Short mmCIF file of all heavy atoms in Angstrom, two decimals:
data_model
loop_
_atom_site.label_atom_id
_atom_site.label_comp_id
_atom_site.label_asym_id
_atom_site.label_seq_id
_atom_site.Cartn_x
_atom_site.Cartn_y
_atom_site.Cartn_z
N LYS S 176 -66.60 -112.90 -52.72
CA LYS S 176 -65.62 -113.98 -52.66
C LYS S 176 -64.39 -113.58 -51.86
O LYS S 176 -63.81 -114.40 -51.13
CB LYS S 176 -65.20 -114.40 -54.08
CG LYS S 176 -66.31 -115.05 -54.88
CD LYS S 176 -66.72 -116.38 -54.26
CE LYS S 176 -67.78 -117.09 -55.09
NZ LYS S 176 -68.21 -118.36 -54.46
N PHE S 177 -63.97 -112.33 -51.99
CA PHE S 177 -62.81 -111.87 -51.24
C PHE S 177 -63.09 -111.93 -49.74
O PHE S 177 -62.29 -112.44 -48.97
CB PHE S 177 -62.43 -110.45 -51.65
CG PHE S 177 -61.45 -109.80 -50.72
CD1 PHE S 177 -60.12 -110.18 -50.71
CD2 PHE S 177 -61.87 -108.82 -49.82
CE1 PHE S 177 -59.22 -109.60 -49.83
CE2 PHE S 177 -60.97 -108.24 -48.94
CZ PHE S 177 -59.64 -108.63 -48.95
N LEU S 178 -64.22 -111.40 -49.32
CA LEU S 178 -64.56 -111.40 -47.90
C LEU S 178 -64.74 -112.82 -47.38
O LEU S 178 -64.37 -113.14 -46.24
CB LEU S 178 -65.81 -110.56 -47.64
CG LEU S 178 -65.62 -109.04 -47.80
CD1 LEU S 178 -66.96 -108.32 -47.71
CD2 LEU S 178 -64.66 -108.51 -46.75
N ALA S 179 -65.30 -113.70 -48.22
CA ALA S 179 -65.43 -115.10 -47.80
C ALA S 179 -64.06 -115.72 -47.60
O ALA S 179 -63.85 -116.50 -46.66
CB ALA S 179 -66.22 -115.89 -48.86
N SER S 180 -63.09 -115.37 -48.46
CA SER S 180 -61.74 -115.92 -48.32
C SER S 180 -61.05 -115.41 -47.07
O SER S 180 -60.10 -116.02 -46.58
CB SER S 180 -60.90 -115.58 -49.56
OG SER S 180 -60.46 -114.24 -49.53
N LYS S 181 -61.53 -114.28 -46.53
CA LYS S 181 -60.95 -113.72 -45.31
C LYS S 181 -61.72 -114.14 -44.07
O LYS S 181 -61.47 -113.65 -42.97
CB LYS S 181 -60.88 -112.20 -45.38
CG LYS S 181 -60.22 -111.63 -46.62
CD LYS S 181 -58.91 -112.27 -46.98
CE LYS S 181 -57.80 -111.94 -46.02
NZ LYS S 181 -56.52 -112.60 -46.44
N GLY S 182 -62.69 -115.07 -44.22
CA GLY S 182 -63.35 -115.62 -43.06
C GLY S 182 -64.76 -115.11 -42.79
O GLY S 182 -65.38 -115.47 -41.80
N PHE S 183 -65.27 -114.24 -43.67
CA PHE S 183 -66.62 -113.75 -43.48
C PHE S 183 -67.62 -114.77 -44.03
O PHE S 183 -67.30 -115.56 -44.92
CB PHE S 183 -66.81 -112.41 -44.20
CG PHE S 183 -66.08 -111.27 -43.55
CD1 PHE S 183 -64.74 -111.05 -43.79
CD2 PHE S 183 -66.75 -110.41 -42.69
CE1 PHE S 183 -64.06 -110.01 -43.19
CE2 PHE S 183 -66.07 -109.35 -42.08
CZ PHE S 183 -64.73 -109.16 -42.32
N ASN S 184 -68.85 -114.72 -43.53
CA ASN S 184 -69.90 -115.62 -43.98
C ASN S 184 -70.36 -115.19 -45.37
O ASN S 184 -70.93 -114.10 -45.54
CB ASN S 184 -71.07 -115.60 -43.00
CG ASN S 184 -72.15 -116.60 -43.37
OD1 ASN S 184 -72.83 -116.44 -44.37
ND2 ASN S 184 -72.29 -117.62 -42.53
N GLU S 185 -70.14 -116.05 -46.37
CA GLU S 185 -70.39 -115.67 -47.75
C GLU S 185 -71.86 -115.35 -48.03
O GLU S 185 -72.18 -114.35 -48.68
CB GLU S 185 -69.92 -116.79 -48.69
CG GLU S 185 -70.06 -116.44 -50.16
CD GLU S 185 -69.42 -117.47 -51.07
OE1 GLU S 185 -68.63 -118.32 -50.58
OE2 GLU S 185 -69.69 -117.43 -52.29
N LYS S 186 -72.76 -116.18 -47.52
CA LYS S 186 -74.19 -115.96 -47.78
C LYS S 186 -74.68 -114.66 -47.15
O LYS S 186 -75.44 -113.91 -47.77
CB LYS S 186 -75.00 -117.14 -47.25
CG LYS S 186 -74.82 -118.42 -48.06
CD LYS S 186 -75.72 -119.53 -47.54
CE LYS S 186 -75.56 -120.79 -48.38
NZ LYS S 186 -76.42 -121.91 -47.88
N GLU S 187 -74.22 -114.39 -45.94
CA GLU S 187 -74.65 -113.16 -45.27
C GLU S 187 -74.10 -111.93 -45.96
O GLU S 187 -74.80 -110.92 -46.11
CB GLU S 187 -74.21 -113.19 -43.81
CG GLU S 187 -74.98 -114.19 -42.95
CD GLU S 187 -74.61 -114.08 -41.48
OE1 GLU S 187 -74.34 -112.95 -41.02
OE2 GLU S 187 -74.58 -115.11 -40.79
N VAL S 188 -72.84 -112.02 -46.39
CA VAL S 188 -72.24 -110.89 -47.11
C VAL S 188 -72.98 -110.64 -48.41
O VAL S 188 -73.32 -109.49 -48.75
CB VAL S 188 -70.74 -111.15 -47.39
CG1 VAL S 188 -70.20 -110.11 -48.36
CG2 VAL S 188 -69.94 -111.13 -46.10
N ALA S 189 -73.26 -111.71 -49.17
CA ALA S 189 -73.96 -111.58 -50.46
C ALA S 189 -75.34 -110.96 -50.26
O ALA S 189 -75.79 -110.11 -51.05
CB ALA S 189 -74.08 -112.94 -51.12
#
Side-chain angles (χ1 to χ4, degrees):
K176 292 295 183 182
F177 167 74
L178 289 172
S180 77
K181 308 313 290 180
F183 289 82
N184 184 292
E185 183 172 346
K186 289 184 179 179
E187 289 186 34
V188 169

